[in-house]
Amino acid sequence: MASAEGKVRSRPQHVGQHNFPVVDNCLHIGGQPITTLAERAGDRAFYAYDSSVMSQRVTELKAQLPSAIQLHYAIKANPMPAVVQHMSGLVQGLDVASGAELAVAIATGTASADISFAGPGKSDADLRAAVAAGVIIILESSTEMHRVAALAGETGTLPKVAIRVNPDFELKASGMKMSGGPKPFGIDAEQVPEVMQVLANLPLDFVGLHIFSGSQNLRPESLIEAHDKTFDLALRLAEQAPRPLRWLNIGGGFGVPYFPGEQTLDLKPIMHNLQRLVDELLAAMPDVEIVMELGRYLVAEAGLYVCQVSDKKVSRGQTFLITNGGLHHHLAASGNFGQVIRKNYPVCIGNRVTSDTLENVSVVGPLCTPLDILGERMPLPAADIGDLVVLFQSGAYGFTASPHLFLSHPPPLEFLV
Ligand SMILES: *Cc1c(COP(=O)(O)O)cnc(C)c1O
């Protein structure tokens, strides 16, 4: 327990399991001490991503994934071009959600047939680029279908399209629900048969369906239920399709543990169930290519966010570490990216991983808002100005999911090691 001065003596919490070795009490990533990367970063906070941890994650997943399922990387989780390049060598395809992401995906050399482009409200420029590249365009509305058909007429091409279905079910216990009920994503399942009939008479190459039901799920029973319903819906819709499905994207939704009490997802029951569903589907539709798209699950645990203590103070008994990083660099860790209740990400002091002297501290950033919290009342090794605060589980929805411009401090750097 904390005494009045905030001093505690116990093992640090939250460091827990992670993928990074500790040598001489200093955290290492990619074979180098975190202090070396901090020197390279100068006075800037930074993200560091470990390519070998990403490779290991994909290898372990592929060993369990039914072999008939193609694994795609949804690059919005971490679109750093070097990361996408690395991931493109590990997975069978890439999923993008903007014109700029499309350009990054194409630059990796991934075949256009293995790139799909989802997202509501695609601009004319986005659609033109997608048609020119020949990627699979995931139609998010009937209007978008007609816009792509018009472009097809103009350019004399036959764009590959899939219909994104807004399912008639929800992925239960999902961190972020993306389906069921009224949603801006996709076409409601009950409207899809009619839309497919219209599509059949347009200059479009209908490849299949995309059914994505949610994100950040850590409960195997919820994912199993969602997979059952996804395959069932796909089979029902396929019966009403103008031609046999060649492509079925079943989404992803696999979560990673962030907070105390959360456990790594148990893949075994999920994969066992998926194998049964895949076998049944392929019996009915032998030529369909089944795709699973994952973002967070493939990259989150490979990334660290590192900032430096620039001031330390005690306010009415509470010790604050003020850093050169914060909400503007790592919105999710501040608790403001869709969380209902703020919880602490796993944190350590990178150059002082364990210590006999722990201190109960709050880690904050330099922004003039009480929302700028990276860790609230956490027992950490007693840290000084210049020490490095490291947040684990930061490889996904970090750098690009944060409002860098807020208060005009310098943005963080990114390293792939
Ligand atoms: C965001 C998104 C993903 C990736 O979700 P994760 O939770 O990061 O795996 C996949 N597909 C679509 C359509 C998305 O919008």
Side-chain angles (χ1 to χ4, degrees), residues 74 76-77 118 164 178 210 212 215-216 253 293-296 397:
K76 82 165 187 281
R164 177 157 178 187
M178 303 272 291
H210 178 245
F212 179 77
S215 189
Q216 180 49 18
E293 57 177 14
L294 293 170
R296 184 194 311 271
Y397 303 111

Side-chain angles (χ1 to χ4, degrees), residues 223-262:
L223 286 159
I224 286 171
E225 187 184 327
H227 288 155
D228 286 348
K229 291 179 172 169
T230 297
F231 279 75
D232 176 64
L233 179 59
L235 279 163
R236 277 189 283 133
L237 292 174
E239 280 169 19
Q240 302 177 68
R243 66 177 84 132
L245 298 193
R246 281 142 56 203
W247 195 79
L248 173 64
N249 186 327
I250 61 167
F254 292 9
V256 299
Y258 288 102
F259 307 121
E262 291 184 343

Side-chain angles (χ1 to χ4, degrees), residues 273-355:
N273 185 60
L274 262 182
Q275 185 65 59
R276 176 184 65 82
L277 293 168
V278 165
D279 291 344
E280 282 173 18
L281 188 85
L282 290 177
M285 299 180 235
D287 295 325
V288 73
E289 183 182 324
I290 307 168
V291 169
M292 170 179 279
E293 57 177 14
L294 293 170
R296 184 194 311 271
Y297 187 79
L298 303 184
V299 295
E301 292 174 274
L304 303 175
Y305 170 70
V306 184
C307 54
Q308 197 162 25
V309 178
S310 39
D311 199 357
K312 180 175 183 176
K313 63 195 250 188
V314 180
S315 167
R316 305 208 165 109
Q318 194 183 342
T319 303
F320 289 90
L321 299 179
I322 299 161
T323 69
N324 64 348
L327 165 159
H328 54 315
H329 292 173
H330 200 333
L331 188 66
S334 78
N336 294 293
F337 192 55
Q339 296 95 327
V340 180
I341 300 168
R342 194 194 172 283
K343 293 180 193 159
N344 291 326
Y345 267 47
V347 175
C348 81
I349 303 298
N351 56 314
R352 214 186 282 277
V353 177
T354 58
S355 167

Side-chain angles (χ1 to χ4, degrees), residues 368-404:
C368 300
T369 160
L371 299 178
D372 191 12
I373 300 167
L374 292 175
E376 197 162 24
R377 296 172 195 263
M378 308 181 81
L380 290 173
D384 289 324
I385 291 172
D387 282 348
L388 301 172
V389 175
V390 177
L391 278 72
F392 295 96
Q393 312 296 71
S394 295
Y397 303 111
F399 183 86
T400 59
S402 302
H404 298 170

Side-chain angles (χ1 to χ4, degrees), residues 96-103 106 117 121-135 137 144 147-148 151 154-155:
V96 304
S98 71
E101 285 191 359
L102 177 63
I106 290 170
F117 184 0
K122 297 180 194 72
S123 70
D124 285 341
D126 288 351
L127 289 178
R128 274 178 200 283
V131 168
V135 301
I137 301 172
E144 197 165 88
R147 288 171 64 211
V148 178
L151 274 175
E154 228 179 85
T155 55

Side-chain angles (χ1 to χ4, degrees), residues 139 145 162-167 186-199 206 208-211 233-234 236-238 240-242 245:
L139 301 173
M145 172 175 72
I163 292 178
R164 177 157 178 187
V165 183
N166 176 23
I187 296 171
D188 292 349
E190 52 277 24
Q191 292 174 16
V192 168
E194 199 184 313
V195 172
M196 287 191 297
Q197 294 315 312
V198 177
L199 199 161
F206 173 69
L209 302 172
H210 178 245
I211 306 176
L233 179 59
R236 277 189 283 133
L237 292 174
Q240 302 177 68
L245 298 193

Side-chain angles (χ1 to χ4, degrees), residues 51-237:
S51 55
S52 67
V53 174
M54 294 176 195
S55 301
Q56 191 187 335
R57 172 49 67 101
V58 173
T59 302
E60 285 168 6
L61 177 64
K62 277 187 172 170
Q64 295 197 58
L65 195 67
S67 57
I69 296 185
Q70 314 254 319
L71 182 63
H72 282 203
Y73 173 50
I75 84 172
K76 82 165 187 281
N78 187 331
M80 183 193 188
V83 168
V84 179
Q85 185 70 53
H86 178 70
M87 293 302 294
S88 72
L90 305 174
V91 298
Q92 287 126 324
L94 299 173
D95 291 297
V96 304
S98 71
E101 285 191 359
L102 177 63
V104 170
I106 290 170
T108 63
T110 300
S112 58
D114 297 323
I115 298 175
S116 55
F117 184 0
K122 297 180 194 72
S123 70
D124 285 341
D126 288 351
L127 289 178
R128 274 178 200 283
V131 168
V135 301
I136 298 175
I137 301 172
I138 306 205
L139 301 173
E140 300 267 357
S141 73
S142 166
T143 305
E144 197 165 88
M145 172 175 72
H146 287 289
R147 288 171 64 211
V148 178
L151 274 175
E154 228 179 85
T155 55
T157 53
L158 192 63
K160 284 196 282 294
V161 297
I163 292 178
R164 177 157 178 187
V165 183
N166 176 23
D168 39 15
F169 58 87
E170 283 194 350
L171 175 52
K172 287 182 192 141
S174 222
M176 219 175 268
K177 290 198 183 74
M178 303 272 291
S179 66
K183 288 285 174 324
F185 311 109
I187 296 171
D188 292 349
E190 52 277 24
Q191 292 174 16
V192 168
E194 199 184 313
V195 172
M196 287 191 297
Q197 294 315 312
V198 177
L199 199 161
N201 297 311
L202 295 172
L204 297 172
D205 180 14
F206 173 69
V207 300
L209 302 172
H210 178 245
I211 306 176
F212 179 77
S213 48
S215 189
Q216 180 49 18
N217 201 299
L218 285 170
R219 290 177 48 187
E221 63 278 15
S222 305
L223 286 159
I224 286 171
E225 187 184 327
H227 288 155
D228 286 348
K229 291 179 172 169
T230 297
F231 279 75
D232 176 64
L233 179 59
L235 279 163
R236 277 189 283 133
L237 292 174

